[in-house]
Amino acid sequence: MKEYDHKKIEKKWQKEWETDGLYKVEDDVAGKENFYQLVEFTYPSGNLHVGHWYAFAVPDIFARYKRMRGWNVLYPMGFDAFGLPAENAAIKEGADPKKWTYDQMDKMRGQFRSMGAVFDWEREVVSCDPSYYRWTQWMFTQFLKNDLAYRAVTKVNWCPKDQTILANEQVVDGCCERCGTEIMQKDQEQWMLRITKYADRLVDDLEKLNWPNSIKESQKNWIGRSEGSEISFKLSTGAEVKVFTTRADTLFGVTYIVLAPEHALISNLKSQISNWNEVEQYISDTQKKSELDRQQSKEKTGVELKGVTAINPANGEAVPVWIADYVLAGYGTGAVMAVPAHDERDFEFAKKYGLPMRRVVELIYDSKDSPIKSELPIIKRDAICAIVRNPKDDTYMCSVWKNGIHMHGLVTGGIDAGENVIETAKREIYEETGYKNLKLVRGPDFAIHSKFFHRMKKENRWARFQYVFFDLVDDEHDPISEREAAIHDIVWKTKSEMKDFFSVIEGQFLNTLVANPEYIFTDDGITYNSGEFSELPSEEARQKITEAVGGKMVKTYRLRDWGISRQRYWGVPIPIVYDPEGKAHPIPDEHLPWLLPTDVDHTPDGTAPLARSKELLARTEKIFGKGWKPEVETMDTFVDSSWYFYRYLDNKNEDEFASRLRRDAWMPVDLYMGGPEHTTMHLLYSRFWVKALRDLGLVEEDEAYLIRRNRGLVLGPDGNKMSKSKGNVVNPDEIVERLGADTVRMYLAFMGPYGVTGNYPWDPNGVVGVRRFLERVWRLQSKVNGQMSNVASQTLLHKTIQKVSEDIELFKFNTCISAMMICLNEWEADSEKGIAREDFKKFLQILAPFAPHITDELWSNVNGHMSNVPSIHLSSWPLYDESKITEDEITIAIQINGKVRGTVVIPADIEKEGAEAYILAQESTKKIINGRKIERVIYVPMRILSVIVAE
RNA sequence: GCCGGAGUGGCGGAAUGGUAGACGCGCUCGACUCAAAAUCGAGUAUCGCAAGAUGUGAGAGUUCAAGUCUCUCCUCCGGCACCA
């Protein structure tokens, strides 16, 4: 037997597969269903790193498995070849971006081939190729004609280092996602795509996708839909301000309104504003602040617009109008109504500037101790709840009810006619506890509404307890009446003890109140002090109040339209020309592709390099006439990747981006595996793109990716993210050279489950472990003989087939490999008997997707080239035989009082009742039970016998 | 702060509510060898000589039985964040 020579074997089979066209994919194969598996096409960085292997070689296991399962699988490959990195690298090396990119792609194709993946290179897609971007341009013109693309002046994110505009999605913490430079805000005209038109569908359609919850939630967060009301406030000047609020239920609590400094109305009010200088100063100060500064400044600032007031439409009250930069111009209506009693930010602002607050929503809860009885009427009461602190030891007065009527645990009582809250509280404290020297420290302010059944009075109560806080002045107290003494005891509890003492809601609320003197109530509750809208649940109040003041319920989104203009060279030219009047026209279809000119110095200087192209201008004038000017901006590369999966289907089609026939054959993508970094960018953009194409009647589906799985990250051996500066980069070429592609593929699959976002350090020893496994498989061929397999090894094999078949469907490649290792371990331990050829062949088949080269070699070796199947990869996935998996004997664990004390082996064919008696009759069981009285027996077939005995 | 996810040996990780730590790495001992590597065999959660006890971020709960279910809390990762 020769040694396992991975180099020779891998080279041989890669060549063989290519010669035989083994992985060429037809669109329609009789008797087979199509399966479209996708991974994001890669950027041509010029060098394949471990991340690429993890991204492409591991999913290849699944693609190969699906093929063996009888699917016609398309798992294509291509290059996302436009964009900044190529351009920057080219500039750095003084090379032409095009040449540089094509050179890198050549290098990478060779590296990709060493993976032994099933890519059909005939279908390759290259986004910077005119045959591709012709369709990117065409789609843009279609969007333009259907009002999905438009040109507008907007605030844009400008990266001073890369000298280009960035999409919101490309700005992270106020810095450029790519180079980390702090971005600037700038007004600029650019081409926009109307993604906001799809905001609702982008949220709602997530429902039907088999995607991880985390991606769905991230996309929802990103879109940031919030449902609220738009309400108009009339100003004293006659103008009107619309505000957006999600809390219309608090409208009666408005004590001022705030406009964003950029609000368009402000300049119109100039003549009425008495402190205009101050206002103007504030606005210009705000404009000078960078976005980052504005986000990070915690201290709220603002200026009152003196001489102007706003009328609260709910109660006709005049309230002051302020401008402040905590209100964002770009969200909602750029103006808010301020309710300091129920909003943290308004509260902070009001506190700083001495603005009043008014509480209009209170907490309400239904008692769980004593729930109301639905057949009885509910009687409302005003009541107090006294919180009495002993300042000496910081404990609080609580009462323990002796007769089980416990409802509150504090001193409470109804307010009598003509009595005020403080008097009531003092009277109740005296009656119940005898203490008489009290100092009022706070209240009455907060109130909570409690609905409960009053057990002594036998009636339903809806009590509004107003909280009053006292400190004990001294310990002096009188004896209390016998009647009071009979129902409760007074105990003193610390803050933390109180938490456990009360029912959950009450305790939490109380603790918050006690701990935080500045607590404000921001939750939904029940309205109060709100005129005819009082005592309504928040939800209901929002609707009724909005309607009553002539407002409307609206949805607002955080998502902005997608700006696609880039002032760089290496991208798709935006297919637009301007006539002599400056009006934009799409380039007609017959002039597409609208080629990227080559006569350009593309050193970035903040202006679009295409503006310097004589070639482009000349072409424009030649086709459209003198005075016409070309658009000089290029497109964001996220446009290219928004539709690339269609082009794989029909990459040579010159008449359409993809024919209906091909699209019907393959779309939607069945399985999309990729990186978590694409969650709110590529995945959102391309979902929008597909929906837009569908609305234009260009495709059938409105979601392109049925199943999405995000992969994890491979870290360096030191547990850190691989980076050149840390010197922890693992070079896959070197490992492939030394240990083989099969080993690298399998090791990456073995590190942990695929399709979950986890981080796995690359363990150099771990790779060797996988290599050892393959060597042992290799050596096992010498034990293969033509004999019938024995029962034990068959049982093992079929269990292994079952485990691998099940786990591979769940992308748990790690446990598949583990199962195959177990099988090999046991076969080896028992190897004198030899391995039946048929068993070994089945084992190779389940290993084939993981290690395609070595298995094809061994397959041809054990078959002696006599097989009618020339490659193992054309064979069918072996099915396990249920009858071979069942064991004759099973091991049952014996549990005594919940603890495992031993095991018993029983014949597998004993019925449930029989088994119980059989196990109990075993000597070993009796020994464990040791004569104790059996009180209960629970038998779980195949697993465990749980015995409860008297101690 | 809000939303989502995760916490298990020295490490990566296994465990339909049913014998926690499979499999791999590492480590220890042994065989082979002049020696080393490779390979093979035995062992490897913690404490304990052992019997046994303890153990899945912390604490409660449900259950005959909890890594798994429920609640509270802590830590880490991802998304959003002065978003009204």
Side-chain angles (χ1 to χ4, degrees):
Chain A
M1 184 182 64
K2 284 172 286 185
E3 279 197 9
Y4 168 38
D5 182 348
H6 64 268
K7 275 191 224 173
K8 208 173 127 191
I9 293 169
E10 289 176 359
K11 210 171 155 192
K12 169 185 162 187
W13 286 100
Q14 280 162 19
K15 198 176 157 208
E16 203 122 325
W17 297 334
E18 204 165 330
T19 316
D20 295 350
L22 202 67
Y23 305 128
K24 181 158 171 51
V25 182
E26 301 296 337
D27 297 284
D28 187 13
V29 178
K32 287 194 176 186
E33 275 192 66
N34 286 355
F35 184 82
Y36 190 179
Q37 178 176 322
L38 188 70
V39 172
E40 291 111 9
F41 62 167
T42 185
Y43 197 80
S45 58
N47 198 22
L48 223 58
H49 53 76
V50 171
H52 286 106
W53 275 77
Y54 197 54
F56 294 101
V58 179
D60 182 63
I61 294 170
F62 194 77
R64 287 178 173 278
Y65 163 76
K66 278 296 213 185
R67 279 167 52 97
M68 290 176 81
R69 266 275 145 108
W71 297 79
N72 183 38
V73 176
L74 174 61
Y75 176 48
M77 187 64 225
F79 291 97
D80 188 10
F82 267 135
L84 275 182
E87 189 171 344
N88 288 343
I91 290 163
K92 208 169 140 195
E93 294 173 25
D96 168 43
K98 182 175 175 182
K99 184 173 183 312
W100 187 89
T101 302
Y102 278 84
D103 286 350
Q104 305 313 311
M105 286 191 292
D106 270 346
K107 265 195 232 169
M108 289 180 85
R109 281 188 198 100
Q111 290 175 309
F112 267 119
R113 280 192 169 82
S114 77
M115 272 181 193
V118 296
F119 303 133
D120 177 359
W121 288 97
E122 297 283 300
R123 290 177 178 263
E124 186 196 47
V125 153
V126 175
S127 68
C128 68
D129 198 277
S131 69
Y132 181 88
Y133 72 68
R134 163 188 182 170
W135 298 108
T136 313
Q137 291 173 327
W138 180 77
M139 286 175 186
F140 175 81
T141 62
Q142 295 302 306
F143 285 7
L144 187 72
K145 287 171 192 165
N146 290 279
D147 194 35
L148 288 172
Y150 62 97
R151 192 152 174 86
V153 178
T154 54
K155 278 232 178 308
V156 299
N157 308 301
W158 178 260
C159 175
K161 177 146 181 269
D162 287 339
Q163 296 278 339
T164 187
I165 294 178
L166 297 173
N168 287 337
E169 286 79 351
Q170 290 161 318
V171 179
V172 178
D173 295 331
C175 296
C176 172
E177 181 224 7
R178 234 174 241 299
C179 65
T181 311
E182 191 178 319
I183 60 108
M184 294 160 54
Q185 296 286 306
K186 192 164 147 173
D187 282 310
Q188 187 155 333
E189 196 172 39
Q190 64 162 340
W191 287 101
M192 309 287 292
L193 297 181
R194 258 185 235 289
I195 190 171
T196 52
K197 190 180 163 191
Y198 289 82
D200 270 329
R201 280 162 68 187
L202 288 168
V203 173
D204 296 338
D205 291 350
L206 285 169
E207 192 78 22
K208 62 189 181 193
L209 297 174
N210 179 350
W211 286 22
N213 205 24
S214 56
I215 305 187
K216 294 186 181 181
E217 291 304 321
S218 289
Q219 292 211 349
K220 282 185 202 167
N221 283 345
W222 185 264
I223 295 164
R225 175 162 76 187
S226 95
E227 294 174 40
S229 316
E230 215 170 79
I231 293 170
S232 281
F233 280 67
K234 279 217 166 59
L235 298 188
S236 51
T237 62
E240 244 183 41
V241 175
K242 271 194 182 145
V243 302
F244 173 73
T245 179
T246 56
R247 292 301 303 273
D249 55 320
T250 63
L251 185 57
F252 285 83
V254 169
T255 53
Y256 59 99
I257 70 169
V258 192
L259 311 183
E262 298 90 342
H263 200 285
L265 197 63
I266 298 169
S267 53
N268 300 341
L269 300 174
K270 185 175 172 181
S271 56
Q272 281 101 343
I273 297 172
S274 57
N275 56 339
W276 178 251
N277 285 348
E278 197 188 351
V279 169
E280 201 173 26
Q281 183 63 45
Y282 183 77
I283 293 172
S284 79
D285 285 351
T286 306
Q287 277 167 350
K288 279 183 208 143
K289 279 194 211 171
S290 77
E291 193 66 7
L292 199 64
D293 285 346
R294 206 167 148 175
Q295 271 175 22
Q296 281 171 350
S297 61
K298 283 162 226 132
E299 179 80 12
K300 289 185 176 42
T301 56
V303 174
E304 186 179 355
L305 303 185
K306 293 201 171 124
V308 182
T309 56
I311 309 301
N312 183 337
N315 54 16
E317 201 173 283
V319 295
V321 179
W322 285 67
I323 59 171
D325 67 1
Y326 81 89
V327 174
L328 307 175
Y331 183 78
T333 57
V336 302
M337 59 183 225
V339 188
H342 300 290
D343 182 279
E344 300 276 1
R345 297 150 304 185
D346 297 344
F347 175 72
E348 202 188 308
F349 193 78
K351 202 171 68 178
K352 178 168 174 182
Y353 292 105
L355 293 155
M357 58 187 275
R358 187 182 302 150
R359 210 170 278 112
V360 292
V361 175
E362 294 176 337
L363 177 68
I364 182 162
Y365 78 102
D366 293 314
S367 167
K368 287 195 182 98
D369 292 338
S370 182
I372 55 168
K373 296 190 186 306
S374 55
E375 67 275 13
L376 298 174
I378 296 176
I379 295 157
K380 286 189 185 169
R381 281 280 184 275
D382 273 318
I384 60 93
C385 177
I387 299 175
V388 181
R389 184 175 77 115
N390 185 342
K392 281 183 192 147
D393 56 359
D394 200 29
T395 53
Y396 293 82
M397 179 194 280
C398 300
S399 66
V400 177
W401 290 72
K402 291 174 172 177
N403 52 8
I405 298 180
H406 162 255
M407 290 175 301
H408 215 281
L410 286 174
V411 172
T412 60
I415 300 176
D416 292 340
E419 210 178 20
N420 76 27
V421 175
I422 310 288
E423 287 162 3
T424 308
K426 285 189 167 169
R427 174 176 56 74
E428 290 285 351
I429 293 166
Y430 184 76
E431 282 174 18
E432 294 187 18
T433 72
Y435 285 92
K436 47 190 178 182
N437 296 326
L438 302 159
K439 187 178 122 206
L440 177 70
V441 288
R442 183 176 162 198
D445 45 26
F446 281 97
I448 78 175
H449 298 242
S450 174
K451 287 184 184 170
F452 61 96
F453 176 71
H454 197 299
R455 292 195 183 118
M456 285 167 83
K457 305 223 160 115
K458 302 258 183 295
E459 59 190 31
N460 286 332
R461 284 285 176 84
W462 172 344
R464 176 173 182 261
F465 292 101
Q466 295 187 62
Y467 280 77
V468 193
F469 294 70
F470 297 97
D471 273 357
L472 279 188
V473 173
D474 55 42
D475 277 342
E476 191 189 344
H477 56 285
D478 293 338
I480 57 171
S481 70
E482 275 180 31
R483 193 186 138 267
E484 290 285 350
I487 44 180
H488 50 70
D489 281 335
I490 297 305
V491 291
W492 293 86
K493 294 194 173 285
T494 62
K495 276 183 201 170
S496 59
E497 287 167 347
M498 280 168 75
K499 205 184 213 171
D500 300 327
F501 185 67
F502 300 115
S503 66
V504 175
I505 297 171
E506 220 180 351
Q508 274 177 4
F509 188 66
L510 259 178
N511 258 54
T512 317
L513 279 187
V514 170
N516 179 7
E518 291 211 325
Y519 174 76
I520 58 161
F521 182 66
T522 55
D523 294 341
D524 275 11
I526 184 159
T527 51
Y528 198 76
N529 274 336
S530 294
E532 57 180 305
F533 302 101
S534 293
E535 296 191 348
L536 296 176
S538 286
E539 183 61 46
E540 191 183 337
R542 282 196 274 272
Q543 316 235 351
K544 289 199 166 152
I545 292 175
T546 302
E547 194 182 327
V549 300
K552 59 179 182 187
M553 305 302 284
V554 294
K555 291 179 196 157
T556 306
Y557 307 87
R558 203 199 75 101
L559 183 74
R560 303 277 77 131
D561 271 342
W562 176 13
I564 60 160
S565 291
R566 297 292 179 270
Q567 290 68 41
R568 294 294 298 248
Y569 170 71
W570 190 234
V572 180
I574 294 178
I576 293 287
V577 283
Y578 295 94
D579 64 24
E581 280 76 51
K583 190 171 178 289
H585 301 266
I587 309 265
D589 295 357
E590 64 265 29
H591 298 300
L592 297 181
W594 186 245
L595 291 172
L596 186 65
T598 53
D599 64 331
V600 177
D601 171 11
H602 38 74
T603 314
D605 68 351
T607 63
L610 264 49
R612 303 193 276 274
S613 168
K614 291 188 179 107
E615 178 193 331
L616 186 63
L617 183 63
R619 189 201 309 157
T620 305
E621 289 186 335
K622 187 179 164 211
I623 295 175
F624 299 97
K626 264 265 179 278
W628 287 65
K629 294 251 165 20
E631 175 57 81
V632 292
E633 291 167 342
T634 53
M635 291 189 207
D636 180 7
T637 48
F638 279 109
V639 175
D640 309 338
S641 56
S642 288
W643 71 278
Y644 73 108
F645 43 90
Y646 283 113
R647 194 60 181 171
Y648 283 132
L649 310 180
D650 206 359
N651 64 342
K652 307 215 168 41
N653 195 329
E654 295 189 355
D655 305 317
E656 296 168 275
F657 65 93
S659 73
R660 173 77 195 259
L661 204 66
R662 299 282 183 102
R663 286 189 281 109
D664 283 352
W666 294 105
M667 288 300 293
V669 173
D670 294 283
L671 173 62
Y672 196 11
M673 291 187 174
E677 68 275 20
H678 294 114
T679 297
T680 49
M681 299 204 272
H682 162 62
L683 284 177
L684 195 63
Y685 290 138
S686 77
R687 288 183 65 219
F688 152 68
W689 200 272
V690 170
K691 286 177 191 302
L693 289 182
R694 182 174 125 132
D695 286 359
L696 302 185
L698 299 172
V699 301
E700 271 48 60
E701 57 285 331
D702 73 347
E703 288 287 345
Y705 320 118
L706 296 181
I707 301 177
R708 168 75 187 191
R709 290 293 114 101
N710 278 0
R711 65 169 169 270
L713 189 66
V714 184
L715 305 174
D718 58 356
N720 292 308
K721 209 170 162 180
M722 286 191 202
S723 76
K724 277 183 195 154
S725 59
K726 287 202 184 97
N728 61 351
V729 177
V730 173
N731 175 8
D733 289 349
E734 185 249 317
I735 317 253
V736 170
E737 170 81 8
R738 196 156 50 83
L739 300 171
D742 284 343
T743 298
V744 173
R745 290 168 60 104
M746 269 190 96
Y747 172 65
L748 288 167
F750 188 54
M751 287 187 313
Y754 205 73
V756 295
T757 311
N759 296 336
Y760 309 108
W762 176 276
D763 178 359
N765 291 313
V767 197
V768 174
V770 171
R771 165 75 191 203
R772 277 203 276 266
F773 167 74
L774 289 178
E775 281 174 4
R776 286 160 60 202
V777 173
W778 179 260
R779 268 180 259 138
L780 199 64
Q781 65 179 313
S782 66
K783 307 281 187 196
V784 171
N785 56 43
Q787 286 166 14
M788 292 289 285
S789 59
N790 66 62
V791 175
S793 82
Q794 268 208 359
T795 303
L796 183 61
L797 173 68
H798 282 263
K799 274 186 170 173
T800 307
I801 296 172
Q802 180 186 27
K803 176 76 177 163
V804 173
S805 307
E806 284 169 4
D807 286 4
I808 206 168
E809 295 274 2
L810 302 168
F811 314 120
K812 288 166 74 173
F813 307 128
N814 55 332
T815 51
C816 294
I817 294 168
S818 156
M820 291 187 279
M821 285 173 167
I822 293 168
C823 183
L824 177 74
N825 287 350
E826 299 205 18
W827 274 358
E828 269 185 347
D830 203 21
S831 64
E832 302 91 77
K833 291 178 195 150
I835 303 295
R837 170 167 289 133
E838 287 312 305
D839 289 356
F840 189 59
K841 280 174 66 179
K842 286 202 171 89
F843 182 82
L844 290 177
Q845 284 177 302
I846 56 173
L847 180 60
F850 298 84
H853 308 89
I854 189 177
T855 48
D856 226 352
E857 177 72 14
L858 288 169
W859 178 262
S860 76
N861 286 356
V862 289
N863 278 335
H865 298 284
M866 294 295 284
S867 170
N868 53 0
V869 182
S871 166
I872 193 170
H873 304 299
L874 296 174
S875 71
S876 296
W877 187 256
L879 301 176
Y880 65 91
D881 185 340
E882 195 77 50
S883 70
K884 293 200 166 106
I885 287 174
T886 36
E887 306 256 14
D888 298 343
E889 291 185 324
I890 46 176
T891 306
I892 301 289
I894 311 294
Q895 252 183 20
I896 307 292
N897 291 352
K899 297 203 167 168
V900 175
R901 295 295 174 195
T903 56
V904 170
V905 176
I906 65 166
D909 51 7
I910 297 186
E911 295 286 317
K912 184 184 181 291
E913 296 78 24
E916 199 173 307
Y918 181 90
I919 295 164
L920 288 170
Q922 296 299 302
E923 274 310 310
S924 51
T925 317
K926 284 182 185 164
K927 204 171 151 192
I928 294 165
I929 293 172
N930 196 17
R932 286 174 290 186
K933 186 171 169 250
I934 296 175
E935 292 184 339
R936 196 176 156 194
V937 176
I938 296 133
Y939 177 59
V940 184
M942 311 292 286
R943 293 202 184 272
I944 209 160
L945 185 83
S946 186
V947 184
I948 312 305
V949 300
E951 286 296 346

